[in-house]
């Protein structure tokens, strides 16, 4: 009887372990921002190290391969953007040409991606001043690390933002993006006093968090 009980307990433990791994993989795939917040707030260093090692050996290679395949299928020569990815170096290089400007960003994925944030650095920035290039670098960094979704989706949204900025659309003064990260809307809510345009979702969030119903910039009603 004891042997039977031990066998049943072992089977149950294996099932629970399998379910835990499955759920953890799904969370990393669909809710990476939440996973990063969780691991960064964990106070038990041993647990953090073990989870990080498990992620880097068992999950990261699978997700990285999927991202590279998705990237290779997402771009054509007519898109104005060239994206190259490598599973070996864990690097993604995006070169975007628009009008007379060329912007190159280099994304470096950590060994335990997506449990840690993607690092981004600037490559070429031909035809761009330092302020604008820096602004676009911060934008893609935020899209990659503050929004759930694939790397391909983040690059596509970054490209959309850059295109809108070049066409003269000013970013929302609250989130600093042209295309809203969640609703994909443009800034259309205009302040009658300062004339700045905001995303509806950003304004609503501002009203709720500040307990005010005034313009975030000029404070007019």
């Amino acid at each position: 009887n004891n042997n039977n009980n031990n066998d049943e307990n072992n089977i149950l433990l294996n099932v629970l372990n399998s379910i835990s791994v499955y759920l953890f993989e799904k969370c990393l795939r669909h809710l990476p921002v939440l996973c990063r917040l969780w691991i960064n707030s964990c106070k038990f260093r041993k647990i953090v190290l073990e989870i990080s090692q498990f992620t880097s050996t068992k999950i990261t290679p699978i997700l990285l391969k999927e991202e590279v395949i998705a990237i290779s299928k997402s771009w054509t020569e007519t898109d104005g953007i060239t994206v190259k990815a490598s599973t070996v170096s864990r690097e993604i290089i995006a070169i975007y040409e628009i009008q007379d400007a060329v912007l190159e960003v280099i994304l470096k994925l950590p060994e335990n991606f997506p449990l840690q944030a993607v690092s981004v650095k600037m490559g070429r920035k031909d035809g761009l001043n330092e302020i604008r290039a820096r602004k676009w670098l911060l934008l893609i960094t935020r899209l990659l690390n503050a929004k759930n979704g694939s790397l391909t989706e983040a690059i596509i949204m970054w490209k959309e933002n850059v295109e809108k900025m070049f066409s003269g659309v000013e970013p929302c003064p609250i989130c600093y993006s042209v295309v809203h990260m969640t609703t994909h809307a443009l800034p259309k809510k205009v302040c009658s006093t300062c004339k700045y345009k905001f995303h509806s979702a950003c304004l609503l969030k501002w009203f709720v968090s500040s307990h005010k119903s005034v313009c975030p910039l000029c404070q007019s009603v």
Side-chain angles (χ1 to χ4, degrees):
N1 288 335
N2 288 335
N3 289 335
N4 289 336
N5 289 335
N6 289 335
D7 290 341
E8 290 177 359
N9 290 335
N10 288 334
I11 292 173
L12 178 60
L13 183 60
N14 289 333
V15 170
L16 291 176
N17 286 337
S18 298
I19 293 174
S20 298
V21 171
Y22 173 80
L23 293 176
F24 181 58
E25 185 270 335
K26 289 298 181 183
C27 286
L28 284 174
R29 185 185 297 274
H30 300 292
L31 299 170
V33 175
L34 183 62
C35 290
R36 284 194 289 270
L37 289 173
W38 168 71
I39 201 69
N40 289 334
S41 64
C42 183
K43 298 180 180 179
F44 301 99
R45 180 171 175 78
K46 183 178 180 181
I47 292 177
V48 172
L49 292 175
E50 289 180 354
I51 291 176
S52 179
Q53 184 177 8
F54 175 82
T55 302
S56 62
T57 56
K58 301 295 184 181
I59 298 179
T60 298
I62 297 173
L63 298 184
L64 180 57
K65 184 178 180 179
E66 291 178 359
E67 292 281 7
V68 169
I69 292 174
I71 286 172
S72 65
K73 294 181 178 180
S74 298
W75 312 100
T76 65
E77 294 181 357
T78 59
D79 289 326
I81 185 170
T82 303
V83 184
K84 299 179 181 179
S86 169
T87 56
V88 177
S89 63
R90 302 192 312 280
E91 281 190 348
I92 298 171
I93 301 175
I95 303 175
Y96 185 39
E97 300 182 34
I98 182 168
Q99 297 181 14
D100 295 327
V102 178
L103 181 63
E104 178 185 45
V105 290
I106 303 167
L107 319 181
K108 181 68 174 181
L109 279 60
E111 291 183 355
N112 59 353
F113 169 82
L115 201 56
Q116 285 186 341
V118 177
S119 63
V120 186
K121 65 179 180 179
M122 186 78 68
R124 295 172 58 189
K125 49 182 177 180
D126 304 344
L128 294 170
N129 61 50
E130 189 68 31
I131 295 176
R132 174 170 281 191
R134 182 66 179 171
K135 182 183 295 184
W136 290 351
L137 182 68
L138 293 174
L139 174 61
I140 193 169
T141 302
R142 188 166 65 251
L143 289 170
L144 286 166
N145 297 321
K147 180 181 182 300
N148 292 314
S150 68
L151 299 177
T152 300
E153 291 170 345
I155 295 173
I156 290 174
M157 184 169 286
W158 174 71
K159 177 177 177 288
E160 290 175 355
N161 272 274
V162 172
E163 287 175 341
K164 295 297 183 183
M165 289 180 186
F166 256 100
S167 66
V169 181
E170 292 293 328
C172 170
I174 297 176
C175 71
Y176 305 108
S177 295
V178 174
V179 182
H180 192 272
M181 288 196 295
T182 304
T183 66
H184 301 279
L186 298 179
K188 294 183 179 179
K189 292 293 183 180
V190 185
C191 173
S192 59
T193 302
C194 68
K195 306 303 180 183
Y196 275 100
K197 294 182 179 181
F198 304 86
H199 295 124
S200 298
C202 290
L203 269 182
L204 180 59
K205 186 176 180 180
W206 159 262
F207 292 155
V208 172
S209 62
S210 66
H211 304 291
K212 299 178 181 179
S213 56
V214 298
C215 173
L217 294 183
C218 68
Q219 300 295 302
S220 64
V221 179

